[in-house]
């Protein structure tokens, strides 16, 4: 039995050797030049982040059924309304986990996020997203019903920790991707977004073990 994960990111280069050696990724939706999410478009991961996040998840949880929704094209920014639409489309895929390695500090989006978060909670879907960015609370990771993630560079990739943070609990995870031959860790992508991917891989591996 598999575990279905939806990755909302910059797309995944499904032909990349780091993906092919680990598993398969199913491109679900991609943002077109007009900024709309479309089904059936080829994903071009110009940023490389989505591909690295997918590799991190598959490395920690072999056998994961991973679907990709691309919301970024050639820059790591998009209207947040596109992200909310991506969450809704991800929920249509009936996943166990949604990896959302992004967010916004603009608290005006709280009301717009209520419906998809409530839908996820009702369906038993775990949404993972950074809880803070630049020292400010980040949506949706800081909201009730979402698994908020922070980074701790002292942790191993496969050993995140759930810690008390004020009146709530937050997950802390390694901000580093998997180690690659001839590439120093300091030269690779790193940050809370990768911590989110590592935690997604860890939780998927736990779900696979229990399946």
């Amino acid at each position: 039995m598999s575990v279905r994960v939806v990755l909302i990111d910059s797309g995944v280069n499904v032909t990349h050797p780091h993906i092919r050696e680990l598993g398969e990724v199913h491109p679900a939706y991609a943002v077109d030049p007009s900024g709309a999410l479309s089904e059936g478009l080829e994903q071009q991961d110009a940023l490389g982040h989505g591909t690295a996040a997918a590799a991190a998840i598959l490395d920690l949880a072999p056998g994961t059924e991973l679907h990709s929704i691309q919301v970024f094209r050639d820059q790591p920014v998009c209207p947040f309304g596109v992200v909310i639409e991506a969450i809704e489309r991800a929920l249509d895929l009936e996943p166990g986990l949604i990896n959302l390695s992004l967010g916004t500090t603009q608290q005006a989006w709280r009301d717009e996020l209520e419906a998809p978060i409530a839908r996820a909670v009702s369906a038993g879907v775990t949404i993972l997203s950074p809880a803070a960015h630049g020292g400010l609370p980040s949506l949706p990771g800081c909201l009730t019903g979402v698994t908020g993630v922070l980074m701790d560079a002292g942790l191993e990739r496969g050993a995140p920790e759930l810690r008390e943070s004020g009146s709530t609990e937050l997950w802390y995870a390694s901000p580093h991707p998997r180690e690659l031959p001839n590439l120093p860790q300091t030269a690779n992508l790193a940050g809370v977004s990768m911590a989110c991917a590592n935690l997604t891989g860890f939780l998927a591996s736990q779900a696979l073990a229990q399946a």
Side-chain angles (χ1 to χ4, degrees):
M1 185 174 180
S2 183
V3 173
R4 183 174 298 170
V5 175
V6 178
L7 171 68
I8 300 174
D9 210 295
S10 61
V12 176
N13 178 357
V14 297
T15 64
H16 196 287
H18 296 164
I19 297 298
R20 289 186 301 180
E21 70 184 29
L22 293 170
E24 186 178 3
V25 178
H26 308 276
Y29 299 94
V31 64
D32 64 26
S34 73
L37 286 180
S38 299
E39 191 173 9
L41 288 181
E42 182 180 356
Q43 294 187 2
Q44 301 289 339
D45 185 10
L47 303 177
H49 190 278
T51 301
I57 294 169
L58 291 171
D59 177 53
L60 291 172
T64 297
E65 181 187 329
L66 187 59
H67 297 255
S68 170
I69 296 180
Q70 178 197 22
V71 293
F72 300 142
R73 289 179 64 84
D74 55 357
Q75 297 182 33
V77 293
C78 71
F80 200 71
V82 174
V83 175
I84 294 176
E85 181 184 356
I87 296 173
E88 293 282 10
R89 298 205 183 194
L91 289 168
D92 290 342
L93 296 172
E94 300 182 346
L97 302 163
I98 296 175
N99 184 99
L100 190 67
S101 291
L102 55 94
T104 179
T105 57
Q106 298 180 20
Q107 300 300 307
W109 288 101
R110 281 178 174 264
D111 290 347
E112 296 284 344
L113 285 162
E114 284 184 1
I117 290 175
R119 182 183 168 195
V121 171
S122 177
V125 177
T126 300
I127 300 176
L128 300 96
S129 186
H133 178 73
L136 296 174
S138 179
L139 300 174
C142 67
L143 299 177
T144 300
V146 176
T147 297
V149 186
L150 294 175
M151 63 181 182
D152 182 342
L155 294 172
E156 297 293 328
R157 288 188 54 242
E161 295 181 357
L162 184 61
R163 303 174 185 169
E164 290 187 2
S165 179
S167 60
T168 186
E169 290 184 322
L170 293 173
W171 278 97
Y172 285 75
S174 168
H176 299 293
R178 70 190 189 110
E179 293 187 11
L180 296 173
N182 303 316
L183 181 65
Q185 191 178 68
T186 54
N188 207 341
L189 294 168
V192 68
S193 61
M194 199 56 61
C196 192
N198 285 330
L199 179 59
T200 298
F202 171 78
L203 295 180
S205 69
Q206 287 196 320
L208 285 165
Q210 296 169 3

